[in-house]
Amino acid sequence: MARIVVIGAGLGAMAAAARLAVAGHTVTVYERTSTYGGAVGRFERDGFAFDTGPGLLHLPAVYRDLFVKTGKEPLEECVALTQVDPAARHVFADGVRVDLPNASRAGTVAALDAALGAGAGERWGEFLTRAREAWDRTRRPLLEEPQPADPAPLAREPYPALKAGLLRRPTTTLAQVGARELRDERLAALLDAYAWSYGFDPATAPASAAVLPYMEQTFGSWYVGGGLRALADAVYERCRKRRVEFVFDAPVEDVLEKDGRAAGVLLAGGATVEADHVVSGAPVPALPLGRDVPRHQATGTGRVTVCLALRGAREADAVHRTVVHAEGGRPTVTVLRPDDPALRPDGDHESVTVTATVRTSPEPDAESFVDRMVEAAGRAVPGLAERVLWRHVRTPEDVRRDTGAAEVPGPALAGAGGLLLPAANRSPLPGLYLAGGWSHPGGGLAHAGMSGALVAGLIVEGADFRGSR
């Protein structure tokens, strides 16, 4: 069987490694840092623990499939999965609050009608119907199949145009969807928040980004007990059980080429490793190729994450996730308050994570921006200012140090002339494959897992591979 080198130990790369090892290949992972998980990091101090990457899991079926295909123990025997309900509490700039249930369209419509007035829920429901049409048109080519050699059809907008009299008026951006179809600043803010959470600016994101709220509100949000880092632990252990070898603190400086195809890697220090195939989970802009990098998605946005260690117990009616929408110069922030004893020293303390999407260049004035983030989070956490013991801040530059890129890539989106399509899993260099959030089908835990499945399929089945079934 083949010798396969994997660059990086992120979730997408490890998902590919486990599947390839089960297929009988010899797989070695070279990771430039001292640990695995990539962007799925963890910060610990004084008995507090925080996820420094994603805080919730969507489409857990992706990882259920990975565990079914790579061993006897299913995912739920390896991690504790819990549906988050309500899925989110939204606090709007005018003070109105609404709790949206997990994976219940009827419940969401009713909640929006009750909070925002009769008709608001109906407009949101009609929007989700159109979003489903975009989802149905793009699900297979964007999520389950290798990116086509000619991605031009995916550059066209799949979101249906609205009728305006006898004509259809095209909608090209997500912001236009909010203004034309939702006709309520708070509903538009709700829609915008889904885009920002994936790193997309609604003013420039294509209307097809409507699939993001559709996906989350249809398939639900899940929490992994112990934090999302526990999922990285489980995938790593699955790789180890399948005899994947890991070499840490081993940066890859280049991909070796022989006879017009990838033939191994050059490690820092000058050592070379021969391979029949190379799988790279590194950020595409940082690929150690010594040549032009493949086309890739560029959002221009990253995340600031603030880990807050709080004194005092979590109140009984607290919710797991609150989105505080911007007002008066404050950033829109997402506040995560998991009720998880593994993340706090005892019941008289609480771990809270606050995140906001920012432009990666230039970076904001970190201290003042973080102060405004925490001030906004105070609308979600009673008495927050008096409860803070300490805070730990991660900027996009910290993300760059840990992962190789300051940007946080978003899921693949159709439309926008193809600008938001990630790199294809087959690189321009035969024998080199791309996995993880920077490659098809894009960023996010579920999408990274899908990329690993696609890469493994391309290597194992070759030209006959047509995608996941």
Side-chain angles (χ1 to χ4, degrees), residues 148-238:
D150 178 12
L154 294 176
R156 295 193 287 268
E157 177 57 64
Y159 187 79
L162 276 183
K163 281 189 175 180
L166 297 177
L167 302 176
R168 287 190 174 270
R169 179 171 57 172
T171 305
T172 59
T173 69
L174 196 67
Q176 288 177 334
V177 173
R180 293 176 178 178
E181 302 177 23
L182 299 178
R183 303 189 306 279
D184 183 300
E185 289 184 357
R186 296 160 299 185
L187 287 179
L190 174 62
L191 177 59
D192 289 353
Y194 282 98
W196 283 118
S197 70
Y198 287 96
F200 297 117
D201 183 342
T204 56
S208 67
V211 300
L212 302 177
Y214 172 81
M215 179 180 69
E216 186 171 318
Q217 293 192 7
T218 301
F219 303 108
S221 301
W222 301 73
Y223 177 68
V224 177
L228 267 289
R229 180 66 183 181
L231 178 62
D233 294 341
V235 175
Y236 172 72
E237 290 301 325
R238 179 53 54 91

Coordinates of all heavy atoms in Angstrom, one line a residue, residues 148-238:
P148 N -15.6 20.4 -9.0 CA -15.4 20.1 -10.4 C -14.2 20.8 -11.0 O -13.8 21.9 -10.5 CB -16.7 20.6 -11.0 CG -17.2 21.6 -10.1 CD -16.8 21.2 -8.7
A149 N -13.6 20.2 -12.0 CA -12.5 20.8 -12.7 C -12.8 22.2 -13.2 O -11.9 23.1 -13.1 CB -12.0 19.9 -13.8
D150 N -14.0 22.4 -13.6 CA -14.5 23.7 -14.0 C -15.5 24.1 -13.0 O -16.7 23.7 -13.1 CB -15.1 23.6 -15.4 CG -15.6 25.0 -15.9 OD1 -15.3 26.0 -15.2 OD2 -16.3 25.0 -16.9
P151 N -15.1 25.0 -12.1 CA -16.1 25.4 -11.1 C -17.0 26.6 -11.5 O -17.7 27.1 -10.7 CB -15.2 25.9 -9.9 CG -14.0 26.4 -10.6 CD -13.8 25.5 -11.8
A152 N -17.0 26.9 -12.8 CA -17.7 28.1 -13.2 C -19.2 28.0 -12.9 O -19.8 29.1 -12.5 CB -17.5 28.3 -14.8
P153 N -19.9 26.9 -13.0 CA -21.3 26.8 -12.6 C -21.5 27.2 -11.1 O -22.6 27.8 -10.8 CB -21.7 25.4 -12.9 CG -20.7 24.9 -13.9 CD -19.4 25.6 -13.6
L154 N -20.5 27.0 -10.3 CA -20.7 27.3 -8.9 C -20.5 28.8 -8.6 O -20.7 29.3 -7.5 CB -19.7 26.5 -8.0 CG -20.0 25.0 -8.0 CD1 -18.9 24.3 -7.2 CD2 -21.3 24.7 -7.3
A155 N -20.0 29.5 -9.6 CA -19.8 31.0 -9.5 C -21.1 31.7 -9.7 O -21.2 32.9 -9.4 CB -18.8 31.5 -10.5
R156 N -22.1 31.0 -10.2 CA -23.4 31.7 -10.4 C -24.3 31.6 -9.1 O -24.2 30.7 -8.3 CB -24.2 31.0 -11.5 CG -23.5 31.2 -12.9 CD -24.4 30.8 -14.0 NE -24.6 29.3 -14.1 CZ -23.9 28.5 -14.8 NH1 -22.8 29.0 -15.5 NH2 -24.1 27.2 -14.8
E157 N -25.1 32.6 -8.9 CA -25.9 32.8 -7.7 C -27.0 31.8 -7.7 O -27.9 31.8 -8.6 CB -26.4 34.2 -7.5 CG -27.3 34.5 -6.3 CD -26.6 34.1 -5.0 OE1 -25.6 34.8 -4.7 OE2 -27.1 33.2 -4.4
P158 N -27.1 30.9 -6.7 CA -28.2 29.9 -6.6 C -29.4 30.4 -5.9 O -30.5 29.7 -5.9 CB -27.6 28.7 -5.9 CG -26.6 29.4 -5.0 CD -26.1 30.6 -5.7
Y159 N -29.3 31.5 -5.1 CA -30.5 32.0 -4.3 C -31.5 32.5 -5.3 O -31.3 33.3 -6.2 CB -30.0 33.1 -3.4 CG -31.1 33.5 -2.4 CD1 -31.3 32.8 -1.3 CD2 -31.8 34.7 -2.6 CE1 -32.3 33.2 -0.4 CE2 -32.7 35.1 -1.7 CZ -33.0 34.4 -0.6 OH -34.0 34.8 0.3
P160 N -32.8 32.1 -5.1 CA -33.8 32.5 -6.1 C -34.1 33.9 -6.1 O -34.2 34.6 -5.0 CB -35.0 31.6 -5.6 CG -34.8 31.3 -4.2 CD -33.3 31.2 -4.0
A161 N -34.4 34.5 -7.2 CA -34.7 35.9 -7.4 C -36.2 36.1 -7.0 O -37.1 35.3 -7.2 CB -34.5 36.4 -8.8
L162 N -36.5 37.2 -6.3 CA -37.8 37.6 -5.9 C -38.6 38.1 -7.1 O -38.0 38.8 -7.9 CB -37.8 38.6 -4.8 CG -37.7 38.1 -3.3 CD1 -37.8 39.2 -2.4 CD2 -38.7 37.0 -3.0
K163 N -39.9 37.9 -7.1 CA -40.7 38.5 -8.1 C -41.0 40.0 -7.7 O -41.3 40.3 -6.6 CB -42.1 37.8 -8.2 CG -42.0 36.5 -9.1 CD -43.3 35.9 -9.4 CE -43.2 34.7 -10.3 NZ -44.6 34.2 -10.6
A164 N -40.9 40.9 -8.7 CA -41.3 42.3 -8.5 C -42.2 42.6 -9.6 O -41.8 42.9 -10.7 CB -40.0 43.2 -8.5
G165 N -43.5 42.5 -9.3 CA -44.5 42.6 -10.4 C -44.4 41.4 -11.3 O -44.5 40.3 -10.8
L166 N -44.3 41.6 -12.6 CA -44.2 40.5 -13.5 C -42.7 40.0 -13.7 O -42.5 39.0 -14.4 CB -44.8 40.9 -14.9 CG -46.3 41.2 -14.8 CD1 -46.7 41.7 -16.2 CD2 -47.1 40.0 -14.4
L167 N -41.8 40.8 -13.1 CA -40.4 40.5 -13.4 C -39.7 39.9 -12.1 O -40.3 40.0 -11.0 CB -39.6 41.8 -13.7 CG -40.1 42.5 -15.0 CD1 -39.3 43.8 -15.2 CD2 -40.0 41.6 -16.2
R168 N -38.6 39.3 -12.3 CA -37.8 38.8 -11.1 C -36.6 39.7 -10.9 O -35.9 40.0 -11.8 CB -37.4 37.3 -11.4 CG -38.5 36.3 -11.3 CD -38.0 34.9 -11.3 NE -39.0 33.9 -11.1 CZ -39.4 33.5 -9.9 NH1 -38.8 34.0 -8.8 NH2 -40.4 32.6 -9.7
R169 N -36.5 40.1 -9.7 CA -35.4 41.0 -9.3 C -34.3 40.2 -8.6 O -34.5 39.6 -7.6 CB -35.9 42.1 -8.4 CG -34.9 43.1 -7.9 CD -35.4 44.3 -7.2 NE -36.2 43.9 -6.0 CZ -36.6 44.8 -5.1 NH1 -36.5 46.1 -5.3 NH2 -37.3 44.3 -4.0
P170 N -33.1 40.2 -9.2 CA -32.0 39.4 -8.6 C -31.5 40.0 -7.3 O -31.5 41.2 -7.2 CB -31.0 39.4 -9.7 CG -31.2 40.6 -10.5 CD -32.7 40.8 -10.5
T171 N -31.1 39.2 -6.4 CA -30.5 39.6 -5.2 C -29.1 39.1 -5.2 O -28.9 37.9 -5.3 CB -31.3 39.1 -4.0 OG1 -32.7 39.4 -4.1 CG2 -30.8 39.6 -2.7
T172 N -28.2 40.0 -5.0 CA -26.8 39.6 -5.2 C -26.0 39.5 -3.9 O -25.0 38.8 -3.8 CB -26.0 40.6 -6.1 OG1 -26.1 41.9 -5.6 CG2 -26.6 40.6 -7.5
T173 N -26.4 40.2 -2.8 CA -25.7 40.1 -1.5 C -26.7 39.8 -0.4 O -27.9 40.0 -0.5 CB -25.0 41.5 -1.2 OG1 -26.1 42.4 -0.9 CG2 -24.2 42.0 -2.3
L174 N -26.1 39.3 0.7 CA -26.9 38.9 1.8 C -27.5 40.1 2.4 O -28.7 40.0 2.9 CB -26.0 38.1 2.8 CG -26.8 37.4 3.9 CD1 -27.6 36.2 3.3 CD2 -25.9 36.9 5.0
A175 N -26.8 41.2 2.4 CA -27.4 42.5 3.0 C -28.7 42.9 2.2 O -29.7 43.3 2.8 CB -26.4 43.6 3.0
Q176 N -28.7 42.7 0.9 CA -29.9 42.9 0.1 C -31.0 42.0 0.5 O -32.2 42.4 0.5 CB -29.6 42.8 -1.4 CG -28.7 43.9 -1.9 CD -28.4 43.7 -3.4 OE1 -28.4 42.6 -3.9 NE2 -28.1 44.8 -4.1
V177 N -30.7 40.8 0.8 CA -31.8 39.8 1.3 C -32.4 40.4 2.5 O -33.7 40.4 2.6 CB -31.2 38.4 1.5 CG1 -32.2 37.5 2.2 CG2 -30.7 37.8 0.3
G178 N -31.6 40.8 3.5 CA -32.2 41.4 4.7 C -33.0 42.6 4.5 O -34.1 42.7 5.0
A179 N -32.6 43.5 3.6 CA -33.3 44.8 3.4 C -34.6 44.5 2.6 O -35.6 45.1 2.9 CB -32.4 45.8 2.7
R180 N -34.5 43.7 1.6 CA -35.6 43.6 0.6 C -36.7 42.6 1.1 O -37.9 42.8 0.9 CB -35.1 43.1 -0.7 CG -34.3 44.2 -1.5 CD -33.8 43.6 -2.8 NE -33.0 44.5 -3.6 CZ -32.4 44.2 -4.7 NH1 -32.5 43.0 -5.2 NH2 -31.7 45.1 -5.4
E181 N -36.2 41.5 1.8 CA -37.1 40.4 2.1 C -37.5 40.3 3.5 O -38.7 39.9 3.8 CB -36.4 39.1 1.7 CG -36.1 39.1 0.2 CD -35.4 37.8 -0.2 OE1 -35.5 36.8 0.5 OE2 -34.6 37.8 -1.2
L182 N -36.7 40.7 4.5 CA -37.0 40.6 5.9 C -37.7 41.9 6.4 O -38.5 41.8 7.3 CB -35.8 40.3 6.7 CG -35.1 39.0 6.3 CD1 -33.8 38.7 7.1 CD2 -36.1 37.8 6.5
R183 N -37.3 43.0 5.9 CA -38.0 44.3 6.2 C -38.2 44.6 7.7 O -39.2 45.1 8.1 CB -39.4 44.3 5.5 CG -39.3 44.1 3.9 CD -40.6 44.4 3.2 NE -41.7 43.6 3.8 CZ -41.9 42.3 3.5 NH1 -41.1 41.6 2.7 NH2 -43.0 41.7 4.0
D184 N -37.1 44.3 8.4 CA -37.1 44.6 9.8 C -35.6 44.6 10.2 O -34.9 43.7 10.0 CB -37.9 43.5 10.6 CG -37.9 43.8 12.1 OD1 -36.8 43.9 12.8 OD2 -39.0 43.9 12.7
E185 N -35.2 45.7 10.8 CA -33.8 45.9 11.2 C -33.3 44.7 12.0 O -32.1 44.3 12.0 CB -33.5 47.2 11.8 CG -33.7 48.4 10.9 CD -33.3 49.7 11.6 OE1 -33.0 49.7 12.8 OE2 -33.3 50.7 10.9
R186 N -34.2 44.2 12.9 CA -33.7 43.2 13.8 C -33.6 41.8 13.1 O -32.7 41.1 13.3 CB -34.7 43.1 15.0 CG -34.7 44.4 15.9 CD -35.9 44.5 16.7 NE -37.1 44.6 15.9 CZ -38.3 44.8 16.4 NH1 -38.5 45.0 17.7 NH2 -39.4 44.9 15.6
L187 N -34.5 41.5 12.2 CA -34.4 40.3 11.4 C -33.2 40.4 10.5 O -32.5 39.4 10.3 CB -35.6 40.1 10.5 CG -36.9 39.7 11.2 CD1 -38.0 39.5 10.2 CD2 -36.7 38.3 12.0
A188 N -32.9 41.6 10.0 CA -31.7 41.8 9.1 C -30.4 41.6 10.0 O -29.5 41.0 9.5 CB -31.7 43.2 8.5
A189 N -30.5 42.1 11.2 CA -29.3 41.9 12.1 C -29.2 40.4 12.5 O -28.0 39.9 12.6 CB -29.5 42.7 13.4
L190 N -30.3 39.7 12.6 CA -30.2 38.3 12.9 C -29.5 37.5 11.7 O -28.6 36.7 11.9 CB -31.6 37.7 13.1 CG -31.8 36.2 13.2 CD1 -31.1 35.7 14.4 CD2 -33.3 35.9 13.3
L191 N -29.9 37.9 10.5 CA -29.3 37.3 9.3 C -27.8 37.6 9.2 O -27.0 36.8 9.0 CB -30.1 37.7 8.1 CG -29.5 37.3 6.7 CD1 -29.5 35.7 6.7 CD2 -30.4 37.9 5.6
D192 N -27.5 38.9 9.5 CA -26.1 39.3 9.4 C -25.2 38.6 10.4 O -24.1 38.2 10.1 CB -26.0 40.8 9.7 CG -26.6 41.7 8.6 OD1 -26.9 41.2 7.5 OD2 -26.7 42.9 8.8
A193 N -25.8 38.3 11.5 CA -25.0 37.6 12.6 C -24.5 36.2 12.1 O -23.4 35.8 12.5 CB -25.8 37.5 13.9
Y194 N -25.4 35.5 11.4 CA -25.0 34.2 10.9 C -23.8 34.4 9.9 O -22.8 33.6 10.0 CB -26.1 33.5 10.2 CG -27.1 32.9 11.1 CD1 -28.3 33.6 11.4 CD2 -26.9 31.7 11.7 CE1 -29.2 33.0 12.3 CE2 -27.8 31.1 12.5 CZ -29.0 31.8 12.9 OH -29.9 31.2 13.7
A195 N -23.8 35.4 9.1 CA -22.7 35.6 8.2 C -21.4 36.0 8.9 O -20.4 35.4 8.7 CB -23.1 36.7 7.1
W196 N -21.5 36.9 9.8 CA -20.3 37.4 10.6 C -19.7 36.2 11.4 O -18.5 36.1 11.5 CB -20.7 38.5 11.5 CG -20.8 39.8 10.9 CD1 -21.9 40.6 10.8 CD2 -19.8 40.6 10.2 NE1 -21.6 41.8 10.1 CE2 -20.3 41.8 9.7 CE3 -18.4 40.3 9.9 CZ2 -19.6 42.7 9.0 CZ3 -17.7 41.2 9.2 CH2 -18.3 42.4 8.7
S197 N -20.6 35.3 11.9 CA -20.0 34.2 12.7 C -19.1 33.3 11.9 O -18.3 32.6 12.5 CB -21.2 33.4 13.3 OG -21.9 32.7 12.4
Y198 N -19.3 33.3 10.6 CA -18.5 32.5 9.7 C -17.4 33.3 9.0 O -16.7 32.8 8.1 CB -19.3 31.7 8.6 CG -20.1 30.6 9.2 CD1 -21.5 30.8 9.5 CD2 -19.6 29.3 9.4 CE1 -22.2 29.7 10.1 CE2 -20.3 28.3 9.9 CZ -21.6 28.5 10.2 OH -22.4 27.4 10.7
G199 N -17.3 34.6 9.4 CA -16.3 35.5 8.9 C -16.7 36.2 7.6 O -15.8 36.8 7.0
F200 N -17.9 36.2 7.2 CA -18.4 36.9 6.0 C -19.0 38.2 6.3 O -19.9 38.3 7.2 CB -19.4 36.0 5.2 CG -18.8 34.7 4.7 CD1 -19.3 33.5 5.2 CD2 -17.8 34.7 3.8 CE1 -18.9 32.3 4.8 CE2 -17.3 33.5 3.4 CZ -17.8 32.3 3.9
D201 N -18.7 39.2 5.6 CA -19.3 40.6 5.7 C -20.6 40.5 4.9 O -20.6 40.3 3.7 CB -18.4 41.6 5.1 CG -18.9 43.0 5.2 OD1 -20.1 43.2 5.5 OD2 -18.1 44.0 5.1
P202 N -21.8 40.7 5.5 CA -23.0 40.6 4.8 C -23.1 41.6 3.6 O -23.8 41.3 2.6 CB -24.1 41.0 5.8 CG -23.4 40.7 7.1 CD -22.0 41.0 6.9
A203 N -22.4 42.7 3.6 CA -22.4 43.7 2.6 C -21.8 43.2 1.3 O -22.2 43.6 0.2 CB -21.8 45.0 3.0
T204 N -20.9 42.2 1.4 CA -20.3 41.6 0.2 C -20.5 40.1 0.0 O -20.3 39.6 -1.1 CB -18.7 41.9 0.3 OG1 -18.2 41.3 1.5 CG2 -18.4 43.4 0.3
A205 N -21.0 39.5 1.1 CA -21.3 38.0 1.0 C -22.4 37.8 0.0 O -23.4 38.6 -0.1 CB -21.6 37.5 2.3
P206 N -22.3 36.8 -0.9 CA -23.4 36.5 -1.8 C -24.7 36.1 -1.1 O -24.7 35.7 0.0 CB -22.9 35.4 -2.7 CG -21.9 34.7 -1.8 CD -21.3 35.8 -0.9
A207 N -25.8 36.3 -1.8 CA -27.1 35.9 -1.3 C -27.1 34.4 -0.9 O -27.9 34.0 0.0 CB -28.2 36.2 -2.3
S208 N -26.3 33.6 -1.5 CA -26.2 32.2 -1.2 C -25.8 31.9 0.2 O -26.0 30.8 0.7 CB -25.3 31.5 -2.2 OG -24.0 31.9 -1.9
A209 N -25.2 32.9 0.9 CA -24.9 32.8 2.3 C -26.2 32.5 3.2 O -26.1 32.2 4.4 CB -24.2 34.0 2.9
A210 N -27.3 32.6 2.6 CA -28.6 32.3 3.2 C -28.6 30.8 3.7 O -29.3 30.4 4.6 CB -29.8 32.5 2.3
V211 N -27.7 30.0 3.1 CA -27.7 28.6 3.5 C -27.1 28.4 4.9 O -27.4 27.4 5.5 CB -26.9 27.7 2.5 CG1 -27.5 27.8 1.1 CG2 -25.4 28.1 2.5
L212 N -26.4 29.4 5.4 CA -25.8 29.3 6.7 C -26.8 29.2 7.8 O -26.8 28.3 8.7 CB -24.8 30.4 7.0 CG -23.6 30.5 5.9 CD1 -22.7 31.7 6.2 CD2 -22.8 29.2 5.9
P213 N -27.8 30.2 7.9 CA -28.8 30.1 8.9 C -29.7 28.9 8.6 O -30.2 28.2 9.6 CB -29.6 31.4 8.8 CG -29.3 32.0 7.5 CD -27.9 31.5 7.3
Y214 N -30.0 28.6 7.3 CA -30.8 27.4 7.0 C -30.2 26.1 7.6 O -30.8 25.3 8.2 CB -31.0 27.2 5.5 CG -31.7 25.9 5.2 CD1 -33.0 25.8 5.3 CD2 -30.9 24.8 4.8 CE1 -33.7 24.6 5.0 CE2 -31.5 23.6 4.5 CZ -32.9 23.5 4.6 OH -33.5 22.3 4.4
M215 N -28.9 26.0 7.4 CA -28.2 24.8 7.8 C -28.3 24.6 9.4 O -28.6 23.6 9.9 CB -26.7 24.8 7.4 CG -25.9 23.6 7.8 SD -24.2 23.7 7.3 CE -23.6 25.1 8.3
E216 N -28.0 25.7 10.1 CA -27.9 25.7 11.5 C -29.3 25.5 12.1 O -29.5 24.7 13.0 CB -27.3 26.9 12.1 CG -27.1 26.9 13.6 CD -26.3 28.1 14.1 OE1 -25.3 28.4 13.5 OE2 -26.7 28.6 15.1
Q217 N -30.3 26.2 11.5 CA -31.7 26.1 12.1 C -32.4 24.8 11.7 O -33.3 24.4 12.3 CB -32.5 27.3 11.7 CG -32.0 28.6 12.3 CD -33.0 29.7 12.2 OE1 -34.1 29.6 11.7 NE2 -32.5 30.9 12.6
T218 N -31.9 24.1 10.7 CA -32.5 22.8 10.2 C -31.8 21.6 10.9 O -32.5 20.7 11.4 CB -32.3 22.7 8.7 OG1 -33.0 23.8 8.1 CG2 -32.9 21.3 8.2
F219 N -30.5 21.6 11.0 CA -29.8 20.5 11.6 C -29.3 20.6 13.0 O -28.9 19.7 13.6 CB -28.6 20.2 10.7 CG -29.0 19.9 9.2 CD1 -28.7 20.8 8.2 CD2 -29.7 18.8 8.9 CE1 -29.1 20.6 6.9 CE2 -30.1 18.5 7.6 CZ -29.8 19.5 6.6
G220 N -29.4 21.8 13.6 CA -29.2 22.0 15.0 C -27.8 22.3 15.4 O -26.8 22.3 14.5
S221 N -27.6 22.7 16.6 CA -26.3 23.0 17.2 C -26.0 22.0 18.4 O -26.9 21.7 19.2 CB -26.3 24.4 17.8 OG -26.6 25.4 16.7
W222 N -24.8 21.6 18.5 CA -24.4 20.6 19.5 C -23.2 21.0 20.3 O -22.3 21.7 19.7 CB -24.1 19.3 18.8 CG -25.3 18.7 18.0 CD1 -25.7 19.2 16.8 CD2 -26.1 17.6 18.3 NE1 -26.8 18.4 16.4 CE2 -27.1 17.5 17.3 CE3 -26.2 16.8 19.4 CZ2 -28.0 16.5 17.3 CZ3 -27.1 15.8 19.4 CH2 -28.1 15.7 18.4
Y223 N -23.2 20.6 21.5 CA -22.0 20.9 22.4 C -21.3 19.6 22.7 O -22.0 18.6 23.0 CB -22.4 21.6 23.7 CG -21.3 21.9 24.6 CD1 -20.3 22.8 24.3 CD2 -21.2 21.2 25.8 CE1 -19.2 23.0 25.2 CE2 -20.2 21.4 26.7 CZ -19.2 22.3 26.4 OH -18.1 22.5 27.2
V224 N -20.0 19.6 22.8 CA -19.2 18.4 23.1 C -18.8 18.6 24.6 O -18.1 19.6 24.9 CB -18.0 18.3 22.2 CG1 -17.1 17.1 22.6 CG2 -18.4 18.1 20.8
G225 N -19.1 17.6 25.4 CA -18.8 17.7 26.8 C -17.3 17.9 27.0 O -16.5 17.2 26.4
G226 N -16.9 18.8 27.9 CA -15.5 19.1 28.1 C -14.9 20.1 27.1 O -13.8 20.5 27.1
G227 N -15.8 20.6 26.2 CA -15.4 21.6 25.2 C -15.0 20.9 23.9 O -14.8 19.7 23.8
L228 N -15.0 21.7 22.8 CA -14.7 21.2 21.5 C -13.4 20.5 21.4 O -13.1 19.7 20.5 CB -14.9 22.2 20.4 CG -16.3 22.3 19.8 CD1 -16.6 21.2 18.9 CD2 -17.4 22.4 20.8
R229 N -12.5 20.9 22.3 CA -11.1 20.3 22.3 C -11.3 18.8 22.5 O -10.4 18.0 22.0 CB -10.3 20.9 23.3 CG -8.9 20.3 23.4 CD -8.0 20.6 22.2 NE -6.7 20.0 22.3 CZ -5.8 20.1 21.4 NH1 -6.0 20.8 20.3 NH2 -4.6 19.5 21.5
A230 N -12.3 18.4 23.2 CA -12.5 16.9 23.4 C -12.8 16.2 22.1 O -12.4 15.0 22.0 CB -13.7 16.7 24.4
L231 N -13.3 16.9 21.1 CA -13.5 16.2 19.8 C -12.2 16.0 19.1 O -11.9 15.0 18.5 CB -14.4 17.1 18.9 CG -14.7 16.6 17.5 CD1 -15.4 15.2 17.5 CD2 -15.5 17.6 16.7
A232 N -11.3 17.0 19.2 CA -9.9 16.9 18.7 C -9.2 15.7 19.4 O -8.5 14.9 18.7 CB -9.2 18.2 18.8
D233 N -9.4 15.6 20.7 CA -8.8 14.5 21.4 C -9.2 13.2 20.9 O -8.5 12.2 20.7 CB -9.1 14.6 22.9 CG -8.5 15.8 23.6 OD1 -7.5 16.4 23.1 OD2 -9.0 16.2 24.7
A234 N -10.6 13.1 20.7 CA -11.1 11.8 20.2 C -10.7 11.4 18.8 O -10.4 10.3 18.5 CB -12.7 11.9 20.2
V235 N -10.6 12.4 17.9 CA -10.1 12.1 16.5 C -8.6 11.7 16.6 O -8.2 10.8 15.8 CB -10.3 13.4 15.6 CG1 -9.8 13.1 14.2 CG2 -11.8 13.6 15.5
Y236 N -7.9 12.4 17.4 CA -6.4 12.1 17.5 C -6.3 10.6 18.0 O -5.5 9.8 17.5 CB -5.8 13.0 18.5 CG -4.3 12.7 18.9 CD1 -3.3 12.8 17.9 CD2 -4.0 12.2 20.1 CE1 -2.0 12.5 18.3 CE2 -2.7 11.9 20.5 CZ -1.7 12.0 19.6 OH -0.4 11.6 19.9
E237 N -7.0 10.3 19.0 CA -7.0 8.9 19.6 C -7.4 7.9 18.5 O -6.9 6.8 18.5 CB -7.8 8.8 20.9 CG -7.2 9.5 22.0 CD -5.8 9.0 22.4 OE1 -5.5 7.8 22.2 OE2 -5.0 9.9 22.8
R238 N -8.4 8.2 17.7 CA -8.9 7.3 16.7 C -7.7 7.1 15.7 O -7.5 6.0 15.2 CB -10.1 7.8 16.0 CG -10.7 7.0 14.9 CD -10.9 5.5 15.2 NE -11.7 5.3 16.4 CZ -13.0 5.2 16.4 NH1 -13.7 5.2 15.2 NH2 -13.7 4.9 17.5

